[in-house]
């Protein structure tokens, strides 16, 4: 915490020095969304280059003066929280003065900018994000306050902890971790008792695009158990995008890649080639929208696809067919095909990429 306080004090000192010299204070933040500031590294995923381009948030410019003020406001809130060892969610910060901040997304962006500017992970700033992910299966751990969580004893779903950094005493006999894109598929696998039938495993869903806590938990489980991690996504550009976030990270959070990515993760399904192999009826597939075409084209250009020839092939199949499918399409073969046939066969015979 002394490191965080010192980093904030340095920023404020810079502001005071500018004022003493009768200059307009300026905050300098990295351009987090610019692909030119990102490099791809096999072992880490997408990470920010050391000398990246920056943008200035000036206090004397009408376009950025409000953002400058809001950054100082949130810096002061973080400073007080770190000093008093209290925590707040991004939502708490927004609701402390909704008129001032205007929207939740403004708060979210500023917190990420501050984290990147100070080079300090967001959870060390005592800012928690609201968790939307779920975890179930062969896993038990203690939360920071000592609460024991045992996911193993039942088909109960547990919310991903809001302070992943604080959990300890993780134990599991799981043979693998399965990341499921959607809540509906996750619930279906729970109902079918999948995580104890095939072999003990841990199941996680971020319920769509994963939040920070879900990604932190996946990484923590990987660090703790070093067991294979498989992804089960829809066979569409959106599903591929979500899988890439878990595996390689996102551009906007590339400055934290070391804590968030698991580059050894495997694509288990639903593969575009599976649709042909399983003779899925064309009527059950969904035609691409223009948005799908654009998203797929942008994914195909990303640096990590070049080093994944088998993924590249699958994306080419998808692009050529211009058809997508949700995991639920497997119910057209039989109601429990996913848990009874598809996943056990894939896991047994190595049907992943």
């Amino acid at each position: 915490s002394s490191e965080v306080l010192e980093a904030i004090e340095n920023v404020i000192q810079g502001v005071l020095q500018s004022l003493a010299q009768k200059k307009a204070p300026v905050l300098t933040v990295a351009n987090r969304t610019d692909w030119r500031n990102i490099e791809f590294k096999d072992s880490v995923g997408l990470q920010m280059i050391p000398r990246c381009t920056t943008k200035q948030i000036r206090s004397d410019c009408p376009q950025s003066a409000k953002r400058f003020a809001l950054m100082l406001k949130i810096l002061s809130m973080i400073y007080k929280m770190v000093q008093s060892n209290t925590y707040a969610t991004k939502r708490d910060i927004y609701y402390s003065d909704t008129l001032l901040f205007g929207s939740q997304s403004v708060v979210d962006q500023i917190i990420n900018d501050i984290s990147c500017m100070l080079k300090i992970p967001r959870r060390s700033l005592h800012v928690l994000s609201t968790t939307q992910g779920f975890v179930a299966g062969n896993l038990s751990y203690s939360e920071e306050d000592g609460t024991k969580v045992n996911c193993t004893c039942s088909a109960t779903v547990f919310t991903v902890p809001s302070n992943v950094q604080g959990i300890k005493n993780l134990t599991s006999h799981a043979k693998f971790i399965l990341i499921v894109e959607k809540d509906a598929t996750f619930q279906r696998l729970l109902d079918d008792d999948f995580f104890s039938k095939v072999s003990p495993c841990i199941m996680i869903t971020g319920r769509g695009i994963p939040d920070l806590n879900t990604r932190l938990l996946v990484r923590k489980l990987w660090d703790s158990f070093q067991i294979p991690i498989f992804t089960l996504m829809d066979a569409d550009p959106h599903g591929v995008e979500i899988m890439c976030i878990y595996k390689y990270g996102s551009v906007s959070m590339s400055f934290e890649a070391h804590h968030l990515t698991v580059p050894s993760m495997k694509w288990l399904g639903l593969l575009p080639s599976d649709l042909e192999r399983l003779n899925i009826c064309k009527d059950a597939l969904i035609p691409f929208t223009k948005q799908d075409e654009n998203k797929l084209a942008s994914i195909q250009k990303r640096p990590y696809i070049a080093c994944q020839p088998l993924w590249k092939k699958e994306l080419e199949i998808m692009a050529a067919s211009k058809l997508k499918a949700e995991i639920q399409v497997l119910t057209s073969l039989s109601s429990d095909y996913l848990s009874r046939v598809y996943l056990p066969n894939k896991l047994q015979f190595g049907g992943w990429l």
Side-chain angles (χ1 to χ4, degrees), residues 257-304:
H258 291 268
H259 310 287
L260 294 172
T261 60
V262 184
S264 61
M265 202 176 276
K266 304 290 182 213
W267 186 3
L268 187 67
L270 187 64
L271 303 178
S273 58
D274 289 339
L275 303 174
E276 214 166 278
R277 186 175 59 81
L278 297 171
N279 275 328
I280 301 286
C281 167
K282 280 270 195 314
D283 295 346
L285 305 179
I286 308 158
F288 262 25
T289 62
K290 189 75 193 132
Q291 205 178 357
D292 290 325
E293 283 181 46
N294 294 342
K295 186 174 273 299
L296 183 57
S298 98
I299 293 171
Q300 285 176 302
K301 290 191 193 101
R302 288 185 196 166
Y304 44 70

Side-chain angles (χ1 to χ4, degrees), residues 296-335:
L296 183 57
S298 98
I299 293 171
Q300 285 176 302
K301 290 191 193 101
R302 288 185 196 166
Y304 44 70
I305 297 299
C307 70
Q308 288 276 12
L310 297 175
W311 280 35
K312 201 167 172 238
K313 221 175 187 166
E314 292 293 330
L315 298 185
E316 282 163 5
I317 292 171
M318 200 190 287
S321 73
K322 290 193 178 169
L323 293 169
K324 57 184 182 177
E326 297 184 333
I327 296 160
Q328 284 82 341
V329 79
L330 296 176
T331 55
S332 66
L333 301 172
S334 78
S335 64

Side-chain angles (χ1 to χ4, degrees), residues 67-223:
R67 196 171 186 85
F68 179 90
L70 293 181
M71 282 188 81
L72 289 192
K73 165 80 174 164
I74 292 178
L75 275 168
S76 79
M77 292 171 87
I78 290 169
Y79 193 84
K80 281 177 197 148
M81 289 192 298
V82 175
Q83 259 186 333
S84 59
N85 196 24
T86 53
Y87 287 83
T89 64
K90 294 186 297 182
R91 231 169 150 58
D92 295 333
I93 291 173
Y94 168 58
Y95 279 109
S96 70
D97 199 333
T98 52
L99 280 176
L100 177 69
F101 293 118
S103 76
Q104 181 70 60
S105 65
V106 168
V107 172
D108 297 355
Q109 283 168 10
I110 287 176
I111 287 164
N112 285 342
D113 276 343
I114 287 173
S115 173
C116 186
M117 176 175 76
L118 300 178
K119 295 188 169 50
I120 288 170
R122 195 167 75 193
R123 50 213 169 280
S124 301
L125 302 176
H126 287 228
V127 179
L128 305 172
S129 29
T130 321
T131 299
Q132 61 180 38
F134 290 147
V135 58
N138 196 295
L139 174 69
S140 58
Y141 56 86
S142 306
E143 292 204 357
E144 198 181 23
D145 61 3
T147 309
K148 287 186 168 53
V149 176
N150 188 354
C151 311
T152 311
C153 31
S154 63
T156 314
V157 169
F158 289 86
T159 306
V160 168
S162 58
N163 191 354
V164 174
Q165 199 185 16
I167 66 173
K168 46 193 178 296
N169 307 326
L170 287 94
T171 54
S172 175
H173 302 294
K175 298 283 182 279
F176 62 92
I177 295 164
L178 182 67
I179 296 174
V180 182
E181 177 185 348
K182 283 186 183 153
D183 194 17
T185 310
F186 182 82
Q187 297 293 348
R188 179 69 215 234
L189 290 172
L190 273 181
D191 295 343
D192 290 350
D193 203 16
F194 172 76
F195 65 84
S196 55
K197 267 185 192 158
V198 178
S199 67
C201 73
I202 299 167
M203 292 199 324
I204 292 176
T205 179
R207 299 161 77 196
I209 295 170
D211 58 49
L212 196 68
N213 295 328
T214 305
R215 290 169 63 190
L216 282 168
L217 181 65
V218 171
R219 176 60 196 240
K220 189 163 187 123
L221 293 174
W222 162 246
D223 287 337

